[in-house]
Amino acid sequence: MTRVEDGTSELAQYFVQHAEDTLELAKTPLVAVVAQLENLGTDGQRLDELRTLMLRLKIGTPPIRDLFIYDEAGNWLLTTAEEPPAGANNADRDYFKQHAASSSRLAAVGAPVVSRSSGEWIIPVTMRFNKADGSFGGVVLASVAVQTFGDYFENFQTGQLGSTILVRGDGVVLARAPFDPNILGRDISDHELFVRHLSQTDTGHYFYQSPIDAIQRIGGFHRSWRSQLVVLTAVSQSEATATWIQGARWRWGALAVTMLAGAVLLLQLYRQNQARRQSDLILAAREAELSLLADNANDLVERIDLNGIRRYVSPSAIHILGVPSEALVGTNAFESILPEDRQFVTAAVASLYRGERSATVAFRLVTADRSTKWVESTLSVLPATEAGEMLGVVSVTRDISERKVLEHKLQELATLDGLTGIPNRRAFDARIEQEVARCRRDRRPLSVVLIDVDHFKLFNDRYGHLAGDACLQQVAKAIEGCMRRPADFAARYGGEEFVVVLPETDTAGAQTVAEEMRRRIEELDIPHSCNPPWLKVTASLGLATQEHEWLTPDELVHLADQALYAAKAGGRNRTAGEQQVPPTVNSG
C-alpha cells in the first residue's frame, strides 16, 4: 500500500503544476488589456480597437474561454463572447466587489461561478484597471472553464471511486473530478486536510472519509509554495485493497503448487516466481498509473551535487536536451546553460545556501543540436547531513519555450495599434524616452514630427467610420513607407494623429522627411469633399528638433504640437517647425 500512498502524493504535485501553469497563462492577457484601457480610454473607437486585441489574445491563449470588461458600475463594456444582454451588470460578483474595494493591481483567481454568458461553471481570473485620475475604472476578466481541470484530471486513472480536487490557498474549492457543482466554491479550510495536514507539511498523504460522498479514501496532497494552490487526489481504500487481495491469492496458490510439485522443484519454482511477478504486476498496475511522473513526466528531474555534477538524470532528458539520461550522469549541469544566463542560476543556488527551501529560475539551455530552449527549474535542497552540511540540490526542469513565445506575442500586441498595425502611443512613450537619453549622451540632434489628418471628423461624418478606419490604415502605410533607417520610428499617437521620431536628424533633414510624408498622403488621392480646396485627404505636420541636453521628451513633443497648430492655422496641408532655441534656464 505504501506505493499507492506515495503515488497519490506525486500525482497531486503534477496536478498542482498543471493548474498553476493554466491559471498563470490566463493572467497574461489581462496585463495587455489593462494597459490598452489605461493608455487609450474607453470611448467608442477605442473599444473597437480593444475588441480586436481581445479576440487575438483569446485565440492565442487556449485555456481562456472568453474575455470581459466591466466598467466601474459593473456594466458590461466589452466581451469576446456573444453580445451582452441589455442591462447586463456584474457588480454583485464577489471578485468585482473585491477589486472595487482594493487598490491592488495584481491579477486574482476568484471562486467558481456560473457564467452569465455561457451558463457553464467558470473560474474567473480578474484584474482591476484605473481611470486617468487613479480611481477605480472597472474590472477585466478572463474566464477559464472548471471542466478544463476536470477533463485533465480524468486522463489519469484513479479508479471508479477515485477523486481529485483543486483548492485555492484559502480553502475555496475551484474544481473537482468527478464533477460536482455542489462543492464548487465551498470553503473547506476547516476540514482535516487544512487543519491537520497542511499545517505541518506541503506534501503528504492520509486516510480519510470523504465529507462529500462518505467513501473511505487514501489521499495524496500537495500545496504550491508559489501560488498556494492545493490538490488532493485520492483512490478508494476498497479498490486498492481488492487489488492487493487479488494479488495475494495468486501468491498463495503459487506457493501451494510449489509445495506439491517438489519433484520438479526447479521448473515449478521458476514458473511460480513468474506467476508471483504477474500477480505483483496486477497490484502494481493501479500504483503505476498513480506514479506516471516517475518515468513518463515531461519534466526533467536531476540530482546535482555541490560541485554541479549530475548524479541522477530522469529519462525526459532526451526530450528537453536531446541527450540520453545515461550520457548526462557525471557531467557538469552548468555546461548546458547558455553562458549569459548562468548568473541567474548561480544566484538561485546562492539563495539555497542562505537557507531558502527552494528557488525557481528561468533560463536558456543549449540542446544537442546547438539550438537554445527556454526552461524553468525549481531547485530544492537535498536533506542535510547530521553536521548541517548541504548535500546538493534536486532540480525539476520544464520546457517553457511555447510560453515564452506567447509572452513575446502578447508583448508585441500590447505595443501595436489594433487598427493600423503600427506601434501605439505606449510604444512611442517608451521609444522617445530612450532616444532623448541616447541623443543627449551622444550629443546628437533628435527630431519629432506630429502628423494630423485634416478635417478628419468631417471625413468620418461624411463617409462613415469604416471609411475612416480604411483612411487611417492607408495614411499609416504612407508614413511608414518614408522611414528609411532602422532607428526611424513611426507610431499612432491617438485618433487621427501620428508621430515620427527621427534620431540623429537635424531640422533640414526632418523637413525633408516631413514633406515627403505630406506629399505621399496627398498622393493617396482619397476623396474628401469636406476638405477644400484640395477635396481629398491631406495632412498638417509640425516638427521640432532638439540639440540641447535639457529638453525633456514632453517638452520636445510640446514644441512639435505647437508647430502642428501653426501649420493648421496657416491653411493646413503643410509642414511647420524649426530648430528649438535653448531655453533661458540653468542647464547645470
Side-chain angles (χ1 to χ4, degrees), residues 565-581:
Y565 181 83
K568 291 181 180 179
R572 302 181 188 272
N573 191 21
R574 66 189 62 217
T575 300
E578 57 185 357
Q579 182 174 356
Q580 176 61 17
V581 177

Side-chain angles (χ1 to χ4, degrees), residues 237-248 279 281-286:
Q237 289 187 42
S238 61
E239 289 183 334
T241 303
T243 305
W244 185 89
I245 291 175
Q246 181 182 1
S279 64
L281 288 175
I282 295 174
L283 175 62
R286 178 64 51 80

